[in-house]
Every structure is written in structure tokens, then in C-alpha cells.
Amino acid sequence: MEDLHWTIVIRAAFLVLCGIMFLRISGRKSISQMTVATTIIMISIGSMLAQGLVEKTVWRSAAGVASFLLFLVVVEYMEMKFAFLEKIISGTSMVVVQNGQVDEKKLKKLRLTKDQLEMRLRQKGIERLSDVQIATMEINGELGYQLKREAKPLTVGQFEAWIQTLNPNAAIPQPSAQASGNLFEEVRSSESNRSSQLLN
């Protein structure tokens, strides 16, 4: 009985590692930007991994997962190659707000109510619909938007340019990336270390 428990643990660990490895091979887009095709494949992969654990068909499940992800990579490559396939498989972005006005017809196509749209806008920190120049519903379900010029927040670059206009001799202090613990600096340094190790 104890051996059976260990066998289940080993099979589960093997299937999870296979799933992680195959997902890494398929690319980060599969995880971060779920389209209709990737959603179906990810659900199928989960079902196949669980089936492999229950029915003791570990290698068959691993082969099935590999086949699904290979198909996903091929589909994504074909979408890059042929624009019409991208429209058929993944769809296209739809404009739902134009110049502060909601497109009711597009909302009906998306089966999205105005209240649900407003909720998404609030989650983006937008207070008034009239501030939105354009808003689009992306193929992965995310909301993209652009604010009107008068509603856009002031950026650091714009503020510095304004200071320079008022006082051309003003010195603008530049923050040190290392001193501030910049998260992007950590990624850059790790990538440069990896590339130097590959060259050596």
C-alpha cells in the first residue's frame, strides 16, 4: 500500500514537470495571453494530465500533452504568417468606446453590458466615460484604452520638459537604477550574465 502511494506521488511529480516543461517550450504568450485556442488547449492539457494519473497512462498523457502544445505552436506560427487565419482563429480587437460614446452594437456582439464595461473602466482607474478617446476589447478579453489629451496624467518627461522651458539652466537629477533597487535592472543584469556565460 505504501509503495502504491509513492508511485502516485512520483507519477504526479513527473506529469507536473512534463506540463511545466512543455508550457515553457510553447512560449510565454500561451500563459500570459489566453486566447480562445489557448484556453481550449490548456483545459484539455489539464484533463489529460489528470487522466494520466488516474488511469496510470503516464507516457501516453505526456505524449498527448506534447501533441496539443505542438499543435498550438503551429497554429500561432500560421497566425503570424497569414493575417486572415488570425482573424478566423483568434478574432480581432473591437472598438467599444469612441470619443466618449459607447458603441452599443459592439457590446451586444460581445455580450457585454454597459455596466460591465464601466466596471472594467473603473478597474483601470478611469472616472468618467467622457475622458476616453478610444477603448477596445482585445482578443484575450482585456480592455485597451486611450484617454483624451486633457484627461491624460502628466508624465515625468513632460514635467521635466516644462521645467526646462521655464528655466533652461535647471539641473534635472537622474535617479540611480542600482540605488533605487530597480526591478528591470535585475532582469537586464541576469540576461547579460547569461549571454556572457554562453559566449564563454
Side-chain angles (χ1 to χ4, degrees), residues 42-60:
M42 293 306 159
I43 292 168
S44 302
I45 285 169
S47 176
M48 290 176 73
L49 290 174
Q51 189 178 357
L53 185 62
V54 174
E55 297 184 4
K56 303 178 183 179
T57 55
V58 175
W59 292 107
R60 204 176 296 172

Side-chain angles (χ1 to χ4, degrees), residues 73-83 85-86 89:
V73 171
V74 169
V75 166
E76 288 179 343
Y77 177 76
M78 295 295 283
E79 283 182 325
M80 288 170 60
K81 203 80 173 166
F82 306 103
L85 276 179
E86 184 183 7
I89 296 168

Side-chain angles (χ1 to χ4, degrees), residues 185-200:
E185 192 61 35
E186 292 177 17
V187 177
R188 285 195 210 101
S189 61
S190 63
E191 283 185 350
S192 60
N193 288 339
R194 278 200 300 269
S195 58
S196 61
Q197 285 173 2
L198 288 171
L199 290 171
N200 294 331

Side-chain angles (χ1 to χ4, degrees), residues 8-9 13 17 22-23 31 46 54 78 97 115 117 136 182:
I8 292 170
V9 170
L17 288 172
F22 288 138
L23 285 173
I31 302 164
V54 174
M78 295 295 283
V97 180
D115 287 338
L117 175 65
T136 56
N182 193 309

Side-chain angles (χ1 to χ4, degrees), residues 41-113:
I41 288 174
M42 293 306 159
I43 292 168
S44 302
I45 285 169
S47 176
M48 290 176 73
L49 290 174
Q51 189 178 357
L53 185 62
V54 174
E55 297 184 4
K56 303 178 183 179
T57 55
V58 175
W59 292 107
R60 204 176 296 172
S61 293
V65 170
S67 302
F68 266 85
L69 289 175
L70 178 64
F71 178 74
L72 175 62
V73 171
V74 169
V75 166
E76 288 179 343
Y77 177 76
M78 295 295 283
E79 283 182 325
M80 288 170 60
K81 203 80 173 166
F82 306 103
F84 75 94
L85 276 179
E86 184 183 7
K87 290 180 181 178
I88 294 168
I89 296 168
S90 297
T92 54
S93 302
M94 294 182 77
V95 176
V96 289
V97 180
Q98 183 80 47
N99 198 25
Q101 298 296 316
V102 177
D103 192 328
E104 301 283 354
K105 289 181 181 178
K106 296 284 179 64
L107 286 184
K108 283 181 182 177
K109 281 185 181 179
L110 293 164
R111 295 190 297 278
L112 195 71
T113 66

